[in-house]
Amino acid sequence: MALELDFADKVVVVVGGTSGINRGVAEAYASHGAKVAVASRSQDKVDDTVAALQAAGATQAMGAAFDVRDPQAVADGLAGFHNAFGDFDVLISGAAGNFPALASEMSVNAFKTVIDIDLMGTIHVMKAGYAFLKRPGASIINISAPQAFIPYEGQAHVCAAKAGVDQITRTLSLEWGVEGIRINSVVPGFIDETEGADRLAPTPQARQAVVDSVPLGRMGTKTDMANMCLFLGSDAASYVSGTVINVDGALYQRGSGQFGQQMGAMLRSMSSRG
Ligand code: HXC
Ligand code: NAP
């Protein structure tokens, strides 16, 4: 079939959808006429995003403030979306936390915080959303990271969490695939004008090192990510499930490379251990 990107009246839920990459994805679905619901911790960010979704062309838009670390709050939030919009066609789980820190200098709670947001948050969203998914035909998209398969100095917490996210994707594509539910992960490279890229490449020099290491010669855009998520949510991807797809300009065919080494060296130079 031809690529069909009409999401009129489709129900799309984006958890962690109030800034950066995930907000770009939510706005892209809105501009294709979907009913879009977003969630994150900040009510102000939720309200701002809902207004933007309406302006972008969403048939309807709504939001809720909750923390993905609280399974009951996630369940209540998704039930509210389901009551208002009906069964979910697309469920996107993208809430995440990240900070560069060497494992030797990270508290146990710091490590656990990222596991709780990225990994536990993903399973909370998927389990709470399970009852509300359209069968057959629903598409779940987990937003992963290259840390899932490339070890990065200063990123032990994210590496562990996102590897878990991708294995949940693969495993539940088996368990839920029999019900006609597709599940995929999308791996952004360095995406310009986002919190994640700003945290890992905070200086012009670090940013240039990233650009220099991307075979396609540029950072990614939120539109690059939105296009992949639109495809995975569409019927054009009806035979795509259980995959982990990079949207990274081929960056991670190089591994973490010089950029990863530089980040490790910088963190060690700042270390209290000297
Ligand atoms: C060491 C740190 C730290 C740092 C926090 N902690 N920042 N440890 N270095 N820079 C420790 C704290 O001391 C605390 O441990 C524990 O982590 C929890 O910190 P809180 O501030 O209490 O957590 P919380 O308020 O829940 O905030 C979570 C957060 C925060 C992850 C720390 O940064 C956040 O809300 N982030 C959301 C936005 C975000 O990170 N976006 C980027 C996603 S990009 P103790 O022991 O003191 O209690 C991404 C991949 C990008 O995920 C990949 C690019 C290629
Ligand atoms: P971002 O702007 O910080 O987006 C994170 C979103 O998640 C926000 O809406 C945030 O809103 C929400 N969130 C964070 N913690 C939450 C929690 N505990 N409960 C509920 N919501 C929470 O980050 P981004 O850089 O665009 O990253 C988006 C996704 O892409 C993440 O999964 C990240 O791992 C992945 N990624 C990004 C890059 C990149 O280059 N940016 C690269 C690889 C992977 P609140 O603050 O209101 O909660």
Side-chain angles (χ1 to χ4, degrees), residues 38 44 56 69 83 85 104 108 127 147 150 157 162-163 168 174 186 199 202 225 231 233 250 252 263:
V38 290
D44 286 349
R69 290 170 282 194
N83 283 340
F85 287 172
S104 54
V108 168
K127 280 181 66 66
Q147 286 89 332
I150 297 173
H157 45 354
K162 293 289 193 177
I168 291 175
L174 302 176
V186 180
R199 286 186 184 210
M225 279 295 296
F231 168 69
Y252 296 108
M263 187 159 76

Side-chain angles (χ1 to χ4, degrees), residues 41 67 69 96-101 105-111 113-114 117-118 144-147 152 155 158 162 188-190 195-197 199-200 252:
R41 293 166 297 179
D67 192 314
R69 290 170 282 194
N98 191 7
F99 45 82
E105 310 214 332
M106 204 188 294
S107 71
V108 168
N109 189 48
F111 187 90
T113 295
V114 171
I117 299 171
D118 294 27
S144 182
Q147 286 89 332
Y152 256 88
Q155 291 282 276
V158 179
K162 293 289 193 177
F190 272 86
E195 185 66 28
R199 286 186 184 210
L200 292 200
Y252 296 108

Side-chain angles (χ1 to χ4, degrees), residues 65-143:
F66 58 75
D67 192 314
V68 294
R69 290 170 282 194
D70 179 345
Q72 189 58 53
V74 176
D76 292 345
L78 295 193
F81 296 155
H82 186 255
N83 283 340
F85 287 172
D87 286 353
F88 303 164
D89 295 280
V90 181
L91 174 62
I92 298 172
S93 175
N98 191 7
F99 45 82
L102 297 170
S104 54
E105 310 214 332
M106 204 188 294
S107 71
V108 168
N109 189 48
F111 187 90
K112 182 175 181 296
T113 295
V114 171
I115 298 290
D116 284 346
I117 299 171
D118 294 27
L119 178 55
M120 295 308 296
T122 297
I123 195 67
H124 293 157
V125 169
M126 293 179 77
K127 280 181 66 66
Y130 177 69
F132 304 140
L133 296 169
K134 190 164 287 175
R135 292 169 171 78
S139 171
I140 297 177
I141 302 169
N142 292 326
I143 307 300

Side-chain angles (χ1 to χ4, degrees), residues 195-213:
E195 185 66 28
D198 288 349
R199 286 186 184 210
L200 292 200
T203 64
Q205 294 81 354
R207 188 188 147 82
Q208 191 59 48
V210 170
V211 171
D212 289 345
S213 64

